Amino acid sequence: GAVVSQHPSRVICKSGTSVKIECRSLDFQATTMFWYRQFPKQSLMLMATSNEGSKATYEQGVEKDKFLINHASLTLSTLTVTSAHPEDSSFYICSARSWGRNTEAFFGQGTRLTVV
Amino acid sequence: RKEVEQDPGPFNVPEGATVAFNCTYSNSASQSFFWYRQDCRKEPKLLMSVYSSGNEDGRFTAQLNRASQYISLLIRDSKLSDSATYLCVVNRGNQFYFGTGTSLTVIP
């Protein structure tokens, strides 16, 4: 299957700082990337969908000014958690798909964010 | 109504058992269907796509019933390594909809 690389895999930051998470499709062009958040023992919650070169579409209840998403190229999307607070601590996962390939989505390895 | 509904389990089965998971989806316009596997603290990984004709991959068999909007996954001869959460995923347009996942523990 296709490879999606997410970095960093784990980050601990102080409350009030910003954290950037990168998601790269390594062997295909990702026309669409998705960002999810997952709390312990819960399912993935879609935060936003981004298409290359356009603004992300955020799900209801997700603050776009707090979770900045950039999808400037067909192989890279970034999620920046601004002014992080302890309640932002979670597992963040990106996924990517391309219309030129099978319709399944491929997931990055996830980023475990802990805000202290 | 939720887009995708799954029995969260947990399912605790002995090694060698056969176990079946079910999933229903609410929107008849849904186009593609998948089962993903997620291990604890890891990302979901595609287990198999699900086709109307049914498909099999080794010990795993997936079925789709579009009329009933129902998807199933059958695991035969369960292994300890099958212990994980199994996610039913439905695609429509540019969106993926996830079930809450079914937890499986295979016991020695």
Side-chain angles (χ1 to χ4, degrees):
Chain A
V3 178
V4 176
S5 177
Q6 189 173 337
H7 177 81
S9 59
R10 184 182 296 268
V11 59
I12 300 173
C13 71
K14 289 184 178 180
S15 189
T17 60
S18 295
V19 174
K20 180 186 280 189
I21 303 169
E22 291 188 349
C23 181
R24 294 180 184 272
S25 57
L26 297 186
D27 56 355
F28 69 104
Q29 294 183 326
T31 49
T32 306
M33 285 188 169
F34 307 90
W35 287 96
Y36 298 87
R37 181 167 51 184
Q38 187 175 34
F39 293 105
K41 299 193 178 183
Q42 294 188 23
S43 187
L44 283 79
M45 292 170 44
L46 179 65
M47 299 175 67
T49 301
S50 73
N51 293 300
E52 182 266 338
S54 60
K55 289 184 179 179
T57 302
Y58 289 80
E59 295 298 298
Q60 194 171 10
V62 178
E63 299 174 58
K64 61 181 180 181
D65 294 331
K66 180 171 181 62
F67 299 99
L68 302 178
I69 292 172
N70 184 283
H71 190 171
S73 78
L74 284 170
T75 59
L76 173 65
S77 177
T78 61
L79 166 68
T80 302
V81 183
T82 62
S83 187
H85 291 283
E87 57 265 31
D88 298 324
S89 299
S90 187
F91 191 48
Y92 292 85
I93 310 176
C94 70
S95 73
R97 74 183 305 201
S98 170
W99 290 107
R101 294 176 63 95
N102 296 331
T103 57
E104 66 264 35
F106 298 93
F107 286 84
Q109 302 93 325
T111 298
R112 190 158 301 282
L113 171 64
T114 303
V115 185
V116 298
Chain B
R1 188 182 167 190
K2 286 184 181 178
E3 287 275 352
V4 181
E5 300 217 44
Q6 270 185 270
D7 178 353
F11 284 67
N12 299 314
V13 303
E15 262 186 298
T18 295
V19 61
F21 304 140
N22 303 316
C23 168
T24 57
Y25 60 97
S26 60
N27 195 314
S28 60
S30 298
Q31 298 159 298
S32 307
F33 309 89
F34 310 93
W35 283 101
Y36 279 76
R37 169 193 169 132
Q38 186 175 24
D39 292 289
C40 187
R41 302 171 78 90
K42 298 281 189 182
E43 78 278 18
K45 293 188 177 178
L46 180 67
L47 179 65
M48 57 198 306
S49 302
V50 189
Y51 305 114
S52 298
S53 54
N55 48 303
E56 188 174 306
D57 182 2
R59 298 181 293 109
F60 299 85
T61 301
Q63 296 272 356
L64 166 65
N65 184 321
R66 284 190 182 269
S68 304
Q69 295 178 198
Y70 172 92
I71 306 159
S72 67
L73 176 68
L74 183 77
I75 305 176
R76 290 181 299 278
D77 188 23
S78 299
K79 310 289 184 193
L80 296 177
S81 57
D82 294 334
S83 298
T85 296
Y86 291 83
L87 300 167
C88 175
V89 181
V90 171
N91 167 239
R92 188 172 68 255
N94 205 26
Q95 291 296 328
F96 289 85
Y97 301 94
F98 288 80
T100 52
T102 300
S103 174
L104 171 67
T105 300
V106 181
I107 304 163

